Amino acid sequence: MSISVVEVSGEKVKAMWDKRLIEIFYDICIKEILKGNRLGGDASLGWNPIKRYVDASDDWWESRLKVVSKAQKFRTSGIDFEFEWKLDQMFMRVVAT
């Protein structure tokens, strides 16, 4: 389970993301993508299939971590194998040129 703190109407609230909620979120994303509702992405990101995490340059991470320091855990943490196929559905047509 992943827990993050977000601010809602000036109040800090804990958001708890268990596997069930993550799967629901992925399913919603996939439905929206299939309807053609896809935002542009950051072309400086890649995927490391061996380590199974998002791969980006040190400069990219340094700039993002200045804004959200708690994102550090995502720099080297892998994606749950159970959800990898859903992420493939979400990003299979995304190509950096």
Side-chain angles (χ1 to χ4, degrees), residues 13-83:
V13 180
K14 285 186 180 180
M16 296 183 179
W17 289 83
D18 61 10
K19 279 188 168 186
R20 184 182 63 83
L21 291 176
I22 293 170
E23 184 169 18
I24 290 169
F25 175 73
Y26 289 164
D27 288 341
I28 291 169
C29 290
I30 291 167
K31 285 178 185 176
E32 289 301 313
I33 290 166
L34 291 174
K35 288 195 279 184
N37 298 327
R38 180 192 298 273
L39 296 174
D42 189 329
S44 64
L45 299 177
W47 178 252
N48 185 321
I50 296 167
K51 295 180 180 176
R52 295 183 33 223
Y53 63 74
V54 174
D55 198 8
S57 70
D58 289 337
D59 290 339
W60 185 92
W61 276 109
E62 309 247 339
S63 68
R64 295 329 188 265
L65 293 175
K66 286 178 185 174
V67 178
V68 184
S69 61
K70 291 184 180 181
Q72 176 67 36
K73 64 183 176 183
F74 299 112
R75 192 170 186 171
T76 57
S77 65
I79 290 174
D80 191 325
F81 180 74
E82 188 176 328
F83 296 129

